[in-house]
Amino acid sequence: MNCSHYHNLIYLKAELSEQDLLSLQQHLATCTSCAQLDAEVHLFQETINRIASQEIKPRNAAALTSSIMEAVHAQKSGTTIQRQVKVWIQENLLRYSLAALSLIQIVFFSLEFQNRRDPVAEQYSSSSNSVVILDSDMIHINPAERKQHTSGFADCKSPLIERRAYLECLKSKYSSTLL
Amino acid sequence: MDKDLEQALINQSANGDAIAFRRLVEDTQNFALSIAYKFLNNMTDAEDIVQEAYVRVWKNLHRYDPDFRFKTWLGKIITNLCLDTKKSSYRKMNIRAVDAATSRRVSDANETGKHLEHEELKEIIHQLAASLSEKQRTVFILRDLQQLEPEEVCRIVSMSEGNLKSNLYYARLKMKSLLEQYYSEKKRF
Ligand SMILES: [Zn+2]
């Protein structure tokens, strides 16, 4: 073994296995330069140990404990609230999701029902009130007029117009074309 | 503290017993503060980190691994917090360390007495340690300044024994050289 190997061991004396320590001591007994380094490192390590042995204490131990426990209590009440919210969600999730599902179904069916049995639509579904424009009626109108009338009908097609108003609009436009 | 008593207090604390937790805090806060102070070199910062560390401990008690000693686990939390908070400011400290060491030589030239010498030495070592790499600094603080057992340091920093020895070797080599340089320059003033 060369000296550089022992230099490494000198710096790690406190961490060496018994076998390595024995090997190092044997080398130190025969090598003056390594023995010199060993003395220096020993002095350095003693200085460090002196610093390390000085106890670090809080300025006020009781105050530090209190501040730690206050921080923990703040955390504790925070987590208690979070935990309560979690439990409430777990316990009520099924109940409320069923309620939401029922509500969605009610809304869905009522919309469906309204589509099928629109009283306004029913009112105009009788033949006397019908606004169905027959091809035969349109034939009597010349193409220029038809275009004008068509665009007139197109005025009624605003999605913003209420269904009843739309039907009234159509009816009035149709009546005007027949006059 | 007896291992069984420690485990009982941890179990009680995990079930929300604040009195049991307070006993754990009282028993270990000096140890926690000592590590934090050696990393941060400032008592106010160290106390803040210790407070934060115990909040983390409290929140994670249900995850505590009984194979670890409580102090080892606490040491790991403290070390990680110190490294996280100091990661950016250490670079600044690194530069300041040299300046502070130089200015101290002049201002302290007339100071005598063992206490002042000791305080100065402590300050200088903490400042010089700031110029080590993060791994070297961490093992130097835990092993040499806090004097923890090598196995404990390995567990705290999740490092193999070989890795620990290698980092310790370079840390001591550099610290010895920095300290010798500091004293040889001080003699000239
Ligand atoms: Zn040699």
Side-chain angles (χ1 to χ4, degrees):
Chain A
M1 293 282 182
N2 58 20
C3 287
S4 69
H5 167 75
Y6 290 106
H7 284 184
N8 196 293
L9 298 190
I10 287 166
Y11 278 95
L12 295 168
K13 229 174 168 180
E15 290 80 23
L16 293 185
S17 65
E18 269 183 47
Q19 201 188 340
D20 280 342
L21 194 62
L22 194 69
S23 151
L24 174 66
Q25 279 164 347
Q26 281 169 352
H27 179 75
L28 292 178
T30 59
C31 177
T32 47
S33 80
C34 281
Q36 166 68 25
L37 178 69
D38 181 58
E40 283 176 24
V41 173
H42 183 77
L43 198 68
F44 162 74
Q45 212 60 60
E46 262 194 341
T47 310
I48 298 296
N49 291 349
R50 218 166 49 236
I51 297 302
S53 65
Q54 192 199 22
E55 205 181 349
I56 307 277
K57 283 181 182 170
R59 291 170 287 196
N60 182 335
L64 179 63
T65 310
S66 297
S67 74
I68 291 166
M69 291 311 292
E70 266 171 38
V72 166
H73 277 301
Q75 188 62 42
K76 199 180 162 192
S77 50
T79 49
T80 308
I81 291 165
Q82 282 168 7
R83 214 174 286 161
Q84 281 171 349
V85 169
K86 224 181 207 176
V87 168
W88 186 87
I89 289 171
Q90 280 169 354
E91 282 177 352
N92 295 288
L93 188 66
L94 187 67
R95 193 183 298 168
Y96 283 95
S97 52
L98 280 176
L101 200 66
S102 309
L103 191 67
I104 289 166
Q105 278 184 322
I106 290 165
V107 170
F108 178 78
F109 282 119
S110 61
L111 283 174
E112 188 72 358
F113 181 77
Q114 210 182 1
N115 280 347
R116 281 191 199 161
R117 290 179 51 85
D118 189 338
V120 179
E122 267 180 10
Q123 188 193 336
Y124 290 101
S125 67
S126 64
S127 58
S128 62
N129 291 324
S130 177
V131 286
V132 175
I133 300 165
L134 300 172
D135 284 351
S136 56
D137 293 333
M138 295 297 281
I139 289 164
H140 303 296
I141 307 164
N142 71 51
E145 272 182 353
R146 191 185 295 173
K147 200 184 173 193
Q148 189 195 331
H149 292 305
T150 315
S151 59
F153 281 116
D155 290 345
C156 301
K157 286 185 180 174
S158 166
L160 299 171
I161 294 176
E162 195 192 320
R163 193 185 180 93
R164 182 187 288 270
Y166 171 67
L167 290 169
E168 290 291 348
C169 174
L170 276 184
K171 204 177 170 188
S172 70
K173 295 276 180 188
Y174 182 57
S175 310
S176 69
T177 57
L178 291 181
L179 283 171
Chain B
M1 188 185 279
D2 169 37
K3 181 89 177 85
D4 290 340
L5 175 61
E6 184 182 282
Q7 191 55 53
L9 289 175
I10 291 166
N11 292 342
Q12 286 165 12
S13 304
N15 288 325
D17 184 344
I19 296 166
F21 192 67
R22 194 189 181 93
R23 281 199 62 190
L24 276 176
V25 171
E26 284 168 345
D27 191 60
T28 53
Q29 69 175 17
N30 281 14
F31 165 81
L33 186 77
S34 178
I35 293 182
Y37 181 78
K38 283 159 186 170
F39 270 102
L40 307 172
N41 201 20
N42 175 305
M43 193 51 88
T44 306
D45 291 349
E47 287 183 347
D48 287 348
I49 287 288
V50 166
Q51 191 177 305
E52 205 181 327
Y54 279 108
V55 170
R56 274 198 195 189
V57 167
W58 172 263
K59 279 204 286 193
N60 293 292
L61 273 170
H62 58 283
R63 281 197 232 159
Y64 171 70
D65 178 359
D67 285 348
F68 274 73
R69 279 305 300 249
F70 180 72
K71 276 189 175 180
T72 309
W73 188 47
L74 180 63
K76 196 179 177 76
I77 292 173
I78 291 276
T79 301
N80 288 339
L81 280 173
C82 288
L83 291 178
D84 283 348
T85 52
K86 276 290 161 181
K87 223 160 234 175
S88 54
S89 48
Y90 245 114
R91 263 185 224 108
K92 281 182 229 154
M93 232 178 108
N94 214 336
I95 301 158
R96 268 195 284 126
V98 183
D99 296 345
T102 317
S103 64
R104 266 193 157 273
R105 272 174 225 137
V106 187
S107 65
D108 294 352
N110 297 325
E111 281 174 6
T112 49
K114 216 168 186 179
H115 179 71
L116 278 178
E117 206 179 291
H118 188 90
E119 281 300 302
E120 183 201 346
L121 186 61
K122 187 180 84 179
E123 187 81 2
I124 292 304
I125 284 172
H126 284 159
Q127 283 176 357
L128 294 178
S131 63
L132 299 175
S133 77
E134 188 180 286
K135 276 185 185 173
Q136 290 168 10
R137 187 172 67 245
T138 305
V139 299
F140 176 75
I141 288 173
L142 296 176
R143 174 69 181 136
D144 281 356
L145 294 184
Q146 189 61 29
Q147 310 226 299
L148 298 180
E149 289 302 316
E151 306 78 52
E152 221 174 351
V153 180
C154 285
R155 295 196 91 169
I156 288 177
V157 294
S158 305
M159 206 180 254
S160 69
E161 202 194 324
N163 217 333
L164 170 75
K165 282 185 180 177
S166 158
N167 278 294
L168 259 184
Y169 168 73
Y170 286 110
R172 287 170 181 166
L173 190 74
K174 190 163 182 186
M175 284 301 291
K176 177 177 167 286
S177 139
L178 286 171
L179 205 60
E180 282 168 357
Q181 192 186 329
Y182 169 75
Y183 275 111
S184 72
E185 282 177 23
K186 192 184 177 182
K187 270 183 198 168
R188 281 199 249 136
F189 284 96

